[in-house]
Amino acid sequence: MTEFIDKCLDKCLSGKALKRSEIIRLLKIEIGSSEDEYLRKAARKAAEKITGNNGCIWCAVGMDYAPCPMNCKFCSFGERWELIKESRHINKTELLRRVKQYVDGGAAYVVLRTTEFYSLDMLLDYVPDIRASVPGDYAIILNTGELDMMTAQRVADAGVYGVYHALRFREGQDTPFEPVQRIKTMQSVTQTDLNLISLVEPLGNEHTDEEIADLFLNAVSCGAKMSGVMARFPVSGTPYGDTEQVSDEKIAHVIAVLRLSGGTSVRDICVHPVTKEALNSGANVMVVEAGAIPRDAEFSQNEWHGMDIDSARRLLTECGYRVAPPPAKRSRGTKKCPCEGSNLEKFLQPIILHALHRHAGNGYYVYLTIGKYVTYGETVPDKAVTYRYLKSMEKRGLIEKNEGVYSITEQGEECLENWRRTLNDYSNTLKILTKQLEK
Ligand code: SF4
C-alpha cells in the first residue's frame, strides 16, 4: 500500500487528478492504521509543495437567519423543522463591522452566505460598499442560490472573486434539488471569470467511499479551485438530529485522500470543522463563521464554536502554514465585451470533449477538428488556447494522454452529457430572450 500511496503522491505532484478507482482505493485504507498515517504524511507533503505552505482563513457571514422552504434534511433553516422562532438579517453596518474584523485579522476570503432565495441584487449591492470601507487583499465569495451563466457573469462583473456551490451528498433525496440543476450552476460559475469553490459535504457516517469519490470528481470536473470536506452536524430537531457526527479521524483521512486526488488543479483543500489532524493531513484552508449558520439552531452572535479569527490564525501557524491572502484570481486574458461574443471561447471545453468522444487524437488533430464547430464561424481557434485547455482538462481527469494521443475518460463522457443538458437549457433561455429583445 505504501508504494501505491507514493505513486499517488507522484501523480498528484505532476499535476494529475487521480482516477475514481485510485481515490476509492485510498479511501478504503483503514483509519488509524499505519498506512493511514503514511497517507496523511504524504498528503501534508503534497500540501507543502502545492500551496507553498500558504494557509487561508475562510470567514463566512451568514446573512439571513430565516426559515428556508427547501427543507434540506441536514439544514437547521428548513422551515418544516420550525427551529427558527424569529428571523434575523444582518444589516450593512453589522456586515461591514464583521468584514473589517475578519480582514484585519488576516482573512483571505470573506463569504456572504444566504438561504436559497435571498435577493442577489441586494448581495451585489453590498460588494462595492465592502470594498470601499474595508481595504485589503481579500476575496469576496458568494454562497447563495442557483445561478445561470448570465447571472454568474453579472456576479463576476460586480467584482466577486468566486462562488461556493456544491452537489451535496444524496442530492435529490436529502434535498429537493435536482442534481443536474446543482451541476449546471457549478458549470455556469466556471464559464465566467469566477472561481468555483466546492466541498464534499455534508459528510455523514452512512456515506460510502464511492459517493465521496463521485462528489469530489464532480467538483473537479466542474473546475473547482478549492475543495475539501465539511461534516454534517446533527442539529437536534432536524431529520439527522439523532445521528452521530463523523469522527475527526475520518475527516482527516478523507482530507488526505482529497489532497492527493485533485492534482495541482485543486490547489486549496478546506476542512470544516477544523482540527490539527486535518491541517496536518493536507488541508490548508479553515473556516470561521458567524451569524446564520445552517449547522446550528441558534443565531451565532459570536464565532461558531469559539473559532474566531485569532484562534484560526494561531492554529494555521502552529501547523506550519503562513497565513496568506487568496491566490490571484484566474483570468481568461483580455476580455472582450460579451456582446462581441466573448462567451464563445467558453464552449471550447464541450467542443474538445465532443471531438475526442468521436475520435481520439493528438493535440494538432484536436486543434484542426474544433475549428469545424459552429462557434468558430470563419475564424480559426487559437492554438495556444487549445493546448492550454487540453492540459487543464487532462489535469482534471476529463481526458487522458497516452503516447501523445488524447482520449476522453469516463469522467469526461459524464461531463459532456452535463454540457448537452446545460446548453440545451441555455439555448431555450436564449430563444426567449432574443424574442423579448426584439420587442
Ligand atoms: S441548505 Fe440551503 S437550500 Fe437547503 S434548506 Fe438550508 S438554506 Fe435552504
Side-chain angles (χ1 to χ4, degrees):
M1 184 50 83
T2 51
E3 242 172 64
F4 176 65
I5 295 170
D6 287 344
K7 227 177 84 192
C8 292
L9 175 62
D10 286 348
K11 198 165 171 187
C12 167
L13 294 179
S14 73
K16 288 186 185 152
L18 298 189
K19 289 187 186 143
R20 183 175 188 269
S21 57
E22 293 169 325
I23 299 174
I24 293 169
R25 190 168 166 202
L26 289 179
L27 284 167
K28 291 209 182 296
I29 292 174
E30 193 188 336
I31 295 169
S33 64
S34 55
E35 281 99 346
D36 183 32
E37 202 179 314
Y38 193 85
L39 164 78
R40 298 207 274 119
K41 280 196 181 134
R44 181 63 185 86
K45 210 182 283 172
E48 181 183 347
K49 297 255 186 243
I50 294 170
T51 70
N53 271 341
N54 284 318
C56 293
I57 308 174
W58 172 275
C59 291
V61 182
M63 299 295 292
D64 57 331
Y65 176 71
C68 175
M70 300 313 282
N71 297 309
C72 300
K73 288 184 185 166
F74 41 76
C75 175
S76 60
F77 300 154
E79 65 181 359
R80 221 178 278 155
W81 334 134
E82 298 182 344
L83 295 176
I84 296 180
K85 303 298 175 218
E86 206 178 325
S87 297
R88 197 178 151 183
H89 290 242
I90 299 267
N91 62 28
K92 191 159 90 181
T93 312
E94 189 174 355
L95 175 64
L96 295 180
R97 179 182 65 75
R98 286 188 187 275
V99 172
K100 181 163 180 2
Q101 180 198 342
Y102 292 151
V103 172
D104 287 349
Y109 301 96
V110 167
V111 187
L112 310 188
R113 187 180 59 215
T114 75
T115 57
E116 185 67 13
F117 299 110
Y118 193 95
S119 158
L120 182 65
D121 288 337
M122 206 190 283
L123 271 186
L124 294 184
D125 276 353
Y126 284 138
V127 175
D129 291 333
I130 295 174
R131 283 287 174 213
S133 311
V134 189
D137 191 4
Y138 62 95
I140 297 177
I141 307 284
L142 297 194
N143 178 355
T144 186
E146 306 305 317
L147 304 171
D148 61 22
M149 210 185 290
M150 286 181 188
T151 319
Q153 188 57 54
R154 195 153 73 81
V155 171
D157 293 343
V160 172
Y161 174 98
V163 163
Y164 181 87
H165 209 76
L167 177 71
R168 290 141 328 158
F169 281 107
R170 305 198 182 169
E171 195 81 68
Q173 294 172 46
D174 281 357
T175 75
F177 291 90
E178 284 291 334
V180 162
Q181 177 57 55
R182 303 287 296 181
I183 294 170
K184 264 179 4 193
T185 295
M186 293 165 77
Q187 290 179 335
S188 297
V189 168
T190 46
Q191 293 322 299
T192 67
D193 290 332
L194 292 166
N195 282 294
L196 173 69
I197 298 98
S198 189
L199 268 60
V200 171
E201 57 124 325
L203 181 64
N205 285 309
E206 74 279 20
H207 298 129
T208 64
D209 296 335
E210 288 73 13
E211 286 177 290
I212 295 171
D214 288 341
L215 286 197
F216 180 70
L217 286 172
N218 177 65
V220 175
S221 68
C222 287
K225 292 285 165 216
M226 185 198 299
S227 187
V229 183
M230 185 171 69
R232 185 180 64 217
F233 287 79
V235 182
S236 176
T238 63
Y240 282 113
D242 292 331
T243 57
E244 207 173 305
Q245 196 178 311
V246 201
S247 67
D248 291 346
E249 293 72 26
K250 165 107 186 197
I251 299 267
H253 171 74
V254 179
I255 282 288
V257 175
L258 300 193
R259 165 56 77 193
L260 292 185
S261 300
T264 45
S265 71
V266 185
R267 195 200 91 134
D268 292 305
I269 295 287
C270 176
V271 63
H272 193 42
V274 70
T275 57
K276 274 192 179 177
E277 287 85 350
L279 292 174
N280 289 330
S281 304
N284 69 315
V285 181
M286 58 174 294
V287 177
V288 169
E289 57 180 343
I293 298 176
R295 290 162 280 288
D296 206 318
E298 305 291 328
F299 179 88
S300 285
Q301 188 58 47
N302 297 318
E303 277 64 39
W304 194 64
H305 285 199
M307 179 52 73
D308 59 18
I309 187 85
D310 294 335
S311 317
R313 221 180 33 242
R314 264 197 309 273
L315 192 55
L316 274 179
T317 313
E318 273 169 34
C319 292
Y321 289 102
R322 74 183 69 83
V323 178
K329 193 173 175 183
R330 73 203 179 103
S331 161
R332 291 176 184 275
T334 317
K335 216 167 140 194
K336 275 205 285 178
C337 175
C339 70
E340 296 171 76
S342 68
N343 280 336
L344 292 184
E345 185 210 309
K346 322 285 165 56
F347 298 130
L348 196 48
Q349 181 171 308
I351 290 174
I352 292 176
L353 286 173
H354 187 254
L356 293 173
H357 161 81
R358 299 192 63 181
H359 207 291
N362 62 17
Y364 192 61
Y365 156 81
V366 174
Y367 165 70
L368 288 181
T369 310
I370 62 178
K372 295 178 187 150
Y373 285 77
V374 65
T375 53
Y376 286 95
E378 299 291 304
T379 63
V380 288
D382 183 306
K383 209 188 269 181
V385 172
T386 308
Y387 280 94
R388 202 176 65 225
Y389 260 75
L390 284 168
K391 217 172 193 173
S392 125
M393 288 167 69
E394 189 194 357
K395 272 189 186 171
R396 288 156 56 197
L398 300 174
I399 59 177
E400 57 192 6
K401 191 177 175 188
N402 283 315
E403 292 175 5
V405 173
Y406 288 101
S407 58
I408 188 166
T409 61
E410 203 180 309
Q411 211 178 308
E413 291 286 2
E414 274 173 34
C415 183
L416 178 60
E417 191 48 40
N418 285 332
W419 267 107
R420 287 192 186 103
R421 279 194 292 259
T422 303
L423 289 177
N424 206 16
D425 287 358
Y426 190 49
S427 106
N428 290 337
T429 310
L430 282 182
K431 268 185 214 144
I432 298 167
L433 180 64
T434 311
K435 274 220 155 64
Q436 287 172 337
L437 295 180
E438 276 169 5
K439 285 177 195 162

